Amino acid sequence: AVEEVESIQMLQQNKVKMNKLAELDEQSKQLTSHIEDHYNIKRDPEQILNATSTLAQKAAMRDPEDKAKGQYFLAGTGVETNKTAEHLSNIKDLKIHEPTQMVSEIDIDKFIQREHENIITSAIEEAKRETEEEFTRAHTHRMNCDWEQGVYSRETILSYFSQGSNSSWKRKRSNELVLAGNTRKKPRTPANHHHYPRTNHLGSEPDRDQKRFMYGSIVEQFFNSSYSFGLISRFKEIYSHSQIRENDQQIFASFIDSWSIIEIMAQEDTNEYHIQPGKFEESTLIEETHSTIRQRKLFLFGGINFLEQQYYNFMVNSNRITNHPTETAISFAKTVVPRNMDHTWGAIYYCFRSGDINGAINLAIQNEEDKVAGFLKLYKKYQQKGEFIPEQELEPIKQHFQGLYESSVYEFVLVNVLGKCNHRVPLKKFPPPWTVNDYMWFNLHMISNVSESSNNDSGQTLTDFQNSLLELGPRFFNPEDNKPLLFFQILLLSQQFENAIDYLNSISQFPVESFHFSLSLYFYGMLRQPNPGSVDHPIFGDYRGYPYFDYVRYVRQYASSFNDPLSSLVYLETIRNEDLKKEAIIELMLRTAQYDPILRKLGETGIKNDIAHQAGIEAQKNGRTREAIYLFKQAKNIEKVMNIMNKKLGGLLTIDTHEREEYVRLAVEIRDEYDASISEGKKQLQELIYLAYFFEAYHKGRYAEAFDRIRELKLVPLDQSEVDEKEKQFKNWGEQVRRNFAEILLATMSCIMHVINPRDHNDKRKDSLKKTAKAILPFSTMVRFRLPADVHQELLRMELKISNM
């Protein structure tokens, strides 16, 4: 019953409100019916009332799930929502508007006309609120999309803290991907779900913090020194010179090998390397060019070179012979080749397998295997050029290969590799033990095309090999799950750098390494980036059938994990695209509000002014006026500083608050700082400072002082003889002065009323004040500025009262 009574009362109140709105609306329309061009309200009062109620109900996200998602994203940026909510609940209501004194004598028709203007304003405000609601809806939708895209990353993070859980490498792929401008079957992204157990190698937080510090120091030194040393080689030294715990030996060795792969591919391992950002960027282009193919071949030979160096080290460690590569291969062959087999082909093969081409040629000549020696010389000739042996020159090798099925497995594999004859041979035709590294070495040698796929049965293309590796997945190469970095190395060797970073990033124990591998690949231009014009794309995905990994988003995520903004800045400066770099640095500045240290650091790079200017624009858009003023000052944009200060101070002139006092002090500092500057903005700022002093004295009841201030400002006429002159000068006053013109006139009249003392026998002083009041009235009607009707009425009432005093 109580609820019914309350409901009836609410309906009655709404009805009364609607009737009042309808009445005001009708009267205002009648009053403005003679005006040709005026705004029409397109909603009736009932619609306005209903819309207002609806907006009030949708003031915030009420779905607990949406709130939880929002809190998760805020926590990712360092915002503690619980403390923020507690802080907001303790904020007391502030009095920010001075109550307006009602006018006792007023023209009701003019009043209703003004109410009509207020209704128009309300309609505009309603449209603004609807826009905000639409933004909230779109923002929630976008947040949910990001949530879905980041589900896997959060799962891997949570798995790190969950006992006994497994991390996984998950990527969905359609059978056929069709994107703009190109159709490409079998996009080179993982198709299956590959699972491996959670390990604790290098996983403790102290180790992780130490690694972040060591990597960060190297990155800062590298970029501050203008690339004076090899970045990848210095990263590798972290694991070469660190104290290794027994449980971590395998992981450390795997990371050293992984860094070595990239070091060789990027040609950083040579004594005369040339450090150049993005020097291999053409290798990531979708459009095939001669340079693109050339660079991919260099990567291919670099991978082969790594596998051969690694095998040589293996032979040395097995036989303890380091004096000569050929002697090492011969000794190793005597150890591993069965006694019933000829050691000669074994020695030639192991020379070739360990990269000793000259040793293999010499052994073939010594054993009168001249034909194979000729094949080896042909291979050496084109290898030194970084090219494949032409197809027509491979024919003799392939013909020789046809008769080798019953020969030594060592000769069979050697000739097969030299002629790229057949990559689909049974495992029994390979020399034991046949490891994953041997498998990669053999298949990289068998690649005959680094561009598009082909149906050539005698060779394989790079694309075909990459797709076959993805189809097999990490479980195939590491069934015991004891080598978490093995598949990462396989992806690197097959030039699948984007997939490699995504795979390593999926292992929760190695977030620091994952990022710095991506940094190294990105620095040299080996990591394909998304289309610059695309938006709302995942951090790892496909563009026209080719995988990409968005380093810019990755580095912004990694940089946001630092508490020190300068540490974050070090990484953001690794972004090569200047526009994206500035955008990221501006976001960092606005998020941390650490403007001064960041700008001091940027002062050394030559982009300080530009970033400060752009950050000032963003701060101004977000209503952070003080910060915008500071940033524009740092950007040396004096006129912008003046404009913002004038606009802000103009909005606070008539409001008696502590905020106005603070901005007046700031305005005085700015005026004094730019004392030598002569500009329109500074002139307006000086006017507003004087007006602020006037209103301060007026609000404090110091009416005589206030009147002296306005008289010194020479804004209003002191008698009838100055009316015409002041009317002409009015157009020279700044916009903010004109905006507050009505309040200035009313306050001036009020000061005169309080200054005149009826008992004062100084007739000359009283006459002077009355003349000023009498001059203000025609002045208010002559200036080309539309004053509200009630202001004219109030001025007239006050002038009549003054004249009778």
Side-chain angles (χ1 to χ4, degrees):
V2 172
E3 290 179 355
E4 290 181 0
V5 170
E6 290 178 349
S7 178
I8 293 172
Q9 290 177 347
M10 187 176 295
L11 289 173
Q12 290 176 346
Q13 292 174 358
N14 287 342
K15 186 175 181 180
V16 171
K17 292 178 181 177
M18 289 170 56
N19 291 337
K20 289 182 178 179
L21 282 172
E23 182 180 352
L24 284 172
D25 186 35
E26 185 61 31
Q27 291 178 352
S28 64
K29 287 180 180 178
Q30 293 176 2
L31 288 168
T32 57
S33 60
H34 62 285
I35 302 175
E36 294 181 358
D37 296 325
H38 69 282
Y39 296 102
N40 292 317
I41 299 176
K42 296 182 179 180
R43 294 194 175 103
D44 57 38
E46 183 177 1
Q47 289 176 316
I48 295 175
L49 186 62
N50 293 338
T52 304
S53 301
T54 303
L55 288 171
Q57 294 173 0
K58 298 190 298 183
M61 288 188 294
R62 299 184 179 277
D63 189 347
E65 184 177 350
D66 287 342
K67 287 184 178 180
K69 293 175 182 178
Q71 289 174 350
Y72 171 83
F73 286 120
L74 287 172
T77 62
V79 177
E80 298 184 21
T81 53
N82 293 334
K83 290 186 178 180
T84 303
E86 181 181 353
H87 176 69
L88 291 174
S89 64
N90 294 330
I91 295 177
K92 298 180 180 179
D93 293 336
L94 298 176
K95 179 183 176 184
I96 60 173
H97 291 291
E98 180 186 26
T100 304
Q101 182 180 3
M102 296 299 296
V103 181
S104 57
E105 298 179 17
I106 191 166
D107 184 342
I108 188 63
D109 292 339
K110 297 295 184 181
F111 173 77
I112 293 177
Q113 182 177 348
R114 190 173 183 184
E115 287 301 311
H116 182 224
E117 296 174 355
N118 290 338
I119 292 175
I120 294 175
T121 304
S122 299
I124 296 173
E125 290 297 323
E126 181 185 347
K128 176 185 176 184
R129 287 194 297 271
E130 287 183 345
T131 303
E132 293 172 347
E133 287 295 330
E134 175 63 18
F135 170 79
T136 302
R137 184 198 64 75
H139 173 70
T140 304
H141 175 72
R142 170 66 183 275
M143 182 180 68
N144 288 329
C145 291
D146 286 347
W147 181 269
E148 292 302 323
Q149 292 172 0
V151 164
Y152 172 65
S153 297
R154 291 188 294 278
E155 285 179 354
T156 57
I157 293 171
L158 293 174
S159 70
Y160 177 75
F161 297 99
S162 303
Q163 296 296 329
S165 61
N166 292 334
S167 56
S168 59
W169 191 38
K170 303 178 182 178
R171 284 293 178 268
K172 296 181 180 179
R173 183 181 88 176
S174 60
N175 292 329
E176 182 170 348
L177 182 66
V178 181
L179 291 174
N182 192 18
T183 302
R184 184 181 179 85
K185 294 184 178 180
K186 294 184 179 180
R188 292 173 288 171
T189 51
N192 303 323
H193 292 183
H194 307 291
H195 300 270
Y196 45 89
R198 183 174 69 88
T199 60
N200 288 319
H201 299 292
L202 301 175
S204 64
E205 290 303 325
D207 285 344
R208 190 170 300 181
D209 292 340
Q210 184 181 7
K211 285 187 296 184
R212 279 160 55 98
F213 173 77
M214 290 189 292
Y215 273 110
S217 299
I218 293 173
V219 171
E220 185 173 12
Q221 293 172 17
F222 178 73
F223 284 91
N224 287 345
S225 65
S226 300
Y227 327 132
S228 63
F229 55 85
L231 178 65
I232 300 173
S233 58
R234 192 66 64 85
F235 283 160
K236 186 170 68 172
E237 290 176 2
I238 292 177
Y239 298 89
S240 302
H241 299 160
S242 300
Q243 293 183 352
I244 304 177
R245 297 175 300 189
E246 183 176 354
N247 294 337
D248 292 331
Q249 289 180 355
Q250 179 183 338
I251 295 297
F252 270 61
S254 297
F255 274 122
I256 291 174
D257 287 343
S258 301
W259 284 119
S260 297
I261 293 172
I262 303 179
E263 182 183 28
I264 293 175
M265 286 186 167
Q267 301 177 8
E268 219 186 69
D269 61 320
T270 59
N271 293 328
E272 297 180 358
Y273 56 76
H274 177 54
I275 304 296
Q276 177 185 348
K279 67 177 181 178
F280 296 116
E281 196 157 21
E282 285 195 43
S283 66
T284 64
L285 296 178
I286 295 175
E287 293 76 13
E288 300 287 350
T289 65
H290 177 74
S291 178
T292 300
I293 296 173
R294 169 72 175 170
Q295 289 178 3
R296 290 176 187 169
K297 287 180 180 178
L298 290 176
F299 294 156
L300 180 69
F301 291 129
I304 293 173
N305 186 15
F306 164 78
L307 292 169
E308 291 174 345
Q309 288 184 14
Q310 191 183 50
Y311 202 85
Y312 175 74
N313 294 333
F314 166 70
M315 292 193 308
V316 169
N317 293 331
S318 299
N319 290 272
R320 309 297 180 187
I321 298 176
T322 59
N323 57 339
H324 195 280
T326 305
E327 294 297 327
T328 301
I330 294 173
S331 176
F332 185 76
K334 291 179 180 180
T335 304
V336 298
V337 176
R339 293 182 179 179
N340 60 344
M341 296 180 64
D342 185 3
H343 294 176
T344 301
W345 280 112
I348 296 173
Y349 168 78
Y350 286 120
C351 278
F352 182 76
R353 175 67 181 84
S354 59
D356 182 15
I357 307 298
N358 292 328
I361 294 172
N362 292 333
L363 284 177
I365 294 174
Q366 291 173 13
N367 290 276
E368 299 181 353
E369 297 292 346
D370 296 335
K371 185 175 289 188
V372 174
F375 297 157
L376 288 167
K377 291 179 180 179
L378 182 66
Y379 173 87
K380 178 183 177 181
K381 170 185 174 182
Y382 284 96
Q383 183 207 42
Q384 291 175 340
K385 297 178 181 179
E387 295 290 344
F388 296 145
I389 301 175
E391 187 66 28
Q392 62 272 17
E393 297 189 47
L394 288 176
E395 284 303 317
I397 306 178
K398 292 181 178 180
Q399 291 176 6
H400 181 75
F401 175 74
Q402 297 300 320
L404 296 181
Y405 274 88
E406 300 300 327
S407 66
S408 166
V409 292
Y410 299 102
E411 181 184 7
F412 179 84
V413 173
L414 176 62
V415 177
N416 193 4
V417 167
L418 291 174
K420 303 182 187 294
C421 302
N422 186 2
H423 66 280
R424 299 188 182 97
V425 294
L427 185 61
K428 65 180 181 179
K429 300 301 295 181
F430 294 100
W434 193 247
T435 66
V436 173
N437 285 343
D438 293 312
Y439 170 85
M440 291 299 299
W441 173 83
F442 173 77
N443 279 279
L444 290 177
H445 265 298
M446 299 304 289
I447 291 173
S448 58
N449 189 339
V450 294
S451 54
E452 293 298 325
S453 300
S454 69
N455 296 321
N456 188 351
D457 293 333
S458 62
Q460 68 176 343
T461 69
L462 177 62
T463 302
D464 293 335
F465 183 50
Q466 290 173 337
N467 286 329
S468 67
L469 292 174
L470 293 176
E471 292 294 336
L472 293 173
R475 178 74 71 175
F476 176 82
F477 296 99
N478 184 28
E480 296 180 1
D481 291 328
N482 57 355
K483 298 178 180 178
L485 296 180
L486 179 59
F487 194 63
F488 172 66
Q489 294 173 3
I490 289 172
L491 294 172
L492 290 177
L493 289 167
S494 59
Q495 302 183 40
Q496 301 185 81
F497 305 122
E498 299 80 17
N499 282 294
I501 297 301
D502 180 62
Y503 172 77
L504 187 60
N505 188 41
S506 70
I507 305 178
S508 59
Q509 287 76 15
F510 308 128
V512 180
E513 288 84 356
S514 171
F515 172 77
H516 288 89
F517 274 107
S518 73
L519 187 157
S520 303
L521 291 169
Y522 172 81
F523 175 78
Y524 284 111
M526 300 163 68
L527 199 64
R528 184 178 289 106
Q529 296 301 290
N531 180 25
S534 63
V535 294
D536 295 336
H537 56 264
I539 195 170
F540 170 76
D542 275 83
Y543 174 63
R544 292 171 61 181
Y546 288 83
Y548 69 80
F549 195 92
D550 192 345
Y551 172 80
V552 175
R553 283 184 60 181
Y554 198 21
V555 71
R556 291 177 73 163
Q557 290 178 8
Y558 186 79
S560 66
S561 65
F562 290 95
N563 295 325
D564 178 18
L566 294 183
S567 298
S568 301
L569 181 62
V570 168
Y571 283 97
L572 296 181
E573 288 186 309
T574 64
I575 300 174
R576 292 201 308 275
N577 184 295
E578 287 298 319
D579 292 335
L580 295 178
K581 179 196 294 186
K582 292 174 184 177
E583 179 183 329
I585 295 175
I586 289 169
E587 187 272 335
L588 171 67
M589 292 173 63
L590 296 177
R591 175 169 55 82
T592 62
Q594 298 293 318
Y595 304 110
D596 194 50
I598 294 176
L599 289 174
R600 277 204 307 269
K601 183 69 175 177
L602 290 176
E604 306 168 9
T605 64
I607 59 175
K608 170 185 173 182
N609 291 353
D610 194 12
I611 287 182
H613 179 80
Q614 294 297 326
I617 293 175
E618 293 299 321
Q620 187 180 9
K621 289 180 181 177
N622 297 332
R624 299 160 71 168
T625 307
R626 288 180 177 276
E627 298 172 13
I629 291 173
Y630 172 81
L631 290 167
F632 283 122
K633 285 174 65 178
Q634 295 299 314
K636 303 187 185 307
N637 192 335
I638 302 174
E639 200 61 35
K640 192 70 174 178
V641 172
M642 298 293 183
N643 291 340
I644 296 177
M645 193 68 247
N646 290 339
K647 185 175 180 180
K648 185 64 178 180
L649 192 56
L652 296 171
L653 272 181
T654 61
I655 305 174
D656 186 16
T657 63
H658 180 66
E659 184 182 14
R660 183 184 66 184
E661 297 177 3
E662 290 182 350
Y663 272 100
V664 169
R665 285 195 293 270
L666 180 58
V668 172
E669 292 176 5
I670 293 173
R671 179 198 63 186
D672 295 342
E673 182 176 355
Y674 301 109
D675 187 55
S677 172
I678 301 176
S679 65
E680 185 63 25
K682 182 183 177 182
K683 175 178 174 294
Q684 294 179 16
L685 183 64
Q686 182 67 28
E687 296 168 358
L688 292 173
I689 292 174
Y690 272 92
L691 282 173
Y693 290 153
F694 161 71
F695 277 107
E696 180 184 5
Y698 170 70
H699 287 132
K700 301 296 183 184
R702 304 194 301 269
Y703 300 110
E705 178 187 343
F707 183 73
D708 290 339
R709 291 280 186 185
I710 200 68
R711 187 169 54 187
E712 292 173 3
L713 194 57
K714 298 180 180 180
L715 176 60
V716 298
L718 298 179
D719 54 42
Q720 291 289 347
S721 63
E722 296 184 355
V723 171
D724 292 337
E725 179 186 357
K726 297 301 180 186
E727 185 271 332
K728 293 177 182 178
Q729 293 176 354
F730 181 78
K731 63 181 180 181
N732 297 326
W733 290 92
E735 179 185 358
Q736 299 304 323
V737 175
R738 296 196 296 270
R739 283 178 178 270
N740 293 277
F741 185 54
E743 287 77 6
I744 294 171
L745 294 180
L746 290 172
T748 303
M749 280 293 215
S750 180
C751 287
I752 294 174
M753 288 180 61
H754 286 87
V755 170
I756 290 182
N757 186 353
R759 299 186 182 89
D760 190 356
H761 298 292
N762 189 344
D763 294 335
K764 186 177 181 181
R765 177 179 174 82
K766 289 172 63 175
D767 289 343
S768 176
L769 291 171
K770 289 181 179 182
K771 287 180 180 179
T772 301
K774 200 171 190 63
I776 288 175
L777 198 61
F779 173 64
S780 66
T781 60
M782 291 176 63
V783 294
R784 295 183 179 180
F785 185 81
R786 183 182 177 186
L787 290 173
D790 56 336
V791 172
H792 286 292
Q793 294 289 335
E794 180 65 6
L795 290 174
L796 178 60
R797 183 188 68 81
M798 296 173 77
E799 194 277 327
L800 289 174
K801 187 173 181 180
I802 292 171
S803 63
N804 293 326
M805 296 178 72

